Amino acid sequence: MRAVGAVGGAFVLALTATGCGLGADLGGKGEKIAIGIKFDQPGLGLKTADGSYAGFDVDVATYVAKKLGYSEDDIVWKEAPSAERENLIKNGDVKFVVATYSINEKRLKEVDFAGPYFLTHQDLLVRGDEVSITKVEDLNSKKLCSVTGSTSARNVKEKLAPKAGLQELGGYSECLAGLEDKKVDALTTDAAILAGYASQQQHWGKFKLVGLSLSDENYGIGLKKGDTALKGKINKALGEMVSDGTWRKLVRKHFSLSSYKSEPAPAIQN
């Protein structure tokens, strides 16, 4: 973290102590910007054992922040669990959220979105030697795993394969362990999330994506409702990220070690 002057340092400490202000656009070199990311999604947003942060969303957020005038050292990373993303934005705890944040009508009633910057689909992850699951209907005689309360799991269970044996666990890592131990036959969520887990070194070759498109998930950058100026700046940065080749490099960096085939960069909705 870069040193700041005594007055500036005291100001930042005061903001931290009150629990507010980090999301504000303070402006000026060396001041901070708080950004919400996932801390538990390999390949997308992960807080590593050494306390650093890695993933596609982390790199996208860092690129956008730099275009807004903030260095990497100026970023304060905030954990943004799915259920808390809108609150973090509305309360001003973060300036924006980059956290596998699918744009949908319900969320648009509470926050605005820049982007989208990534398009993925709900898919299935299976063992690398699995040959009996090639379509979603094959799950009707199989055991399916997802996290507790997952909309992806309900989508399969209620609409696509109602006879699937659904097991809901606390986290995707638990589902992966069950998949590896043959206690379940498939794991479902967004393909990009599945690919992140499959790309971890300890999982190389053990799992594969089936390659289905069970839903369209356009990831956007969430920001405060009505902040059209910030939305325009972020959209401009995202456009430059695609045009200068950075977007494609980041996709290769984070997803090339799995069987995931990403979609082209989606058109930004101004």
Side-chain angles (χ1 to χ4, degrees):
M1 183 176 294
R2 188 164 54 195
V4 294
V7 175
F11 182 50
V12 170
L13 287 172
L15 290 174
T16 304
T18 59
C20 64
L22 281 173
D25 188 3
L26 302 175
K29 186 177 180 181
E31 292 177 343
K32 305 300 178 184
I33 182 171
I35 302 174
I37 57 170
K38 291 292 181 69
F39 279 15
D40 60 351
Q41 288 184 342
L44 289 153
L46 183 69
K47 185 175 182 179
T48 63
D50 64 3
S52 60
Y53 303 88
F56 181 78
D57 281 354
V58 175
D59 285 347
V60 168
T62 301
Y63 182 99
V64 169
K66 287 181 179 179
K67 290 293 183 178
L68 296 177
Y70 296 91
S71 74
E72 193 168 347
D73 291 339
D74 298 331
I75 299 172
V76 177
W77 299 112
K78 293 269 195 173
E79 186 171 16
S82 295
E84 294 299 319
R85 290 175 295 199
E86 287 84 11
N87 288 334
L88 288 168
I89 293 168
K90 291 190 290 186
N91 293 339
D93 296 320
V94 297
K95 191 66 174 177
F96 54 83
V97 168
V98 190
T100 58
Y101 204 1
S102 296
I103 302 170
N104 62 41
E105 292 300 322
K106 181 181 178 181
R107 291 167 180 163
L108 283 167
K109 294 177 181 178
E110 299 189 63
V111 299
D112 280 343
F113 283 94
Y117 64 92
F118 196 76
L119 170 61
T120 188
H121 311 281
Q122 184 184 346
D123 199 357
L124 303 174
L125 190 73
V126 298
R127 289 181 291 276
D129 59 356
E130 176 64 65
V131 295
S132 64
I133 300 176
T134 59
K135 56 187 183 299
V136 69
E137 291 81 6
D138 293 332
L139 292 174
N140 278 316
S141 60
K142 302 290 185 179
K143 295 178 181 178
L144 174 67
C145 189
S146 196
V147 298
T148 303
S150 165
T151 56
S152 297
R154 288 200 301 271
N155 187 36
V156 172
K157 181 66 176 175
E158 296 175 5
K159 300 176 183 178
L160 303 173
K163 295 182 181 179
L166 177 60
Q167 182 174 1
E168 295 182 279
L169 299 177
Y172 292 117
S173 295
E174 297 172 56
C175 284
L176 274 175
L179 188 58
E180 185 173 5
D181 294 340
K182 299 186 178 182
K183 294 178 180 178
V184 297
D185 301 300
L187 164 60
T188 189
T189 188
D190 297 351
I193 297 173
L194 296 174
Y197 280 100
S199 293
Q200 288 185 292
Q201 186 173 0
Q202 66 268 35
H203 297 147
W204 287 354
K206 293 182 180 179
F207 309 108
K208 65 182 179 182
L209 281 86
V210 176
L212 305 179
S213 296
L214 305 180
S215 69
D216 292 336
E217 305 295 337
N218 280 288
Y219 291 167
I221 295 181
L223 62 146
K224 189 164 285 189
K225 194 78 175 172
D227 195 342
T228 55
L230 180 60
K231 179 178 177 180
K233 291 176 182 177
I234 294 177
N235 277 338
K236 183 174 184 292
L238 293 175
E240 292 172 355
M241 183 176 66
V242 174
S243 63
D244 68 16
T246 299
W247 185 90
R248 176 49 56 188
K249 290 178 182 177
L250 294 181
V251 168
R252 287 198 300 265
K253 173 183 175 182
H254 293 291
F255 301 118
S256 63
L257 296 178
S258 72
S259 56
Y260 179 60
K261 305 298 184 204
S262 68
E263 297 277 9
I268 294 170
Q269 304 298 314
N270 293 310

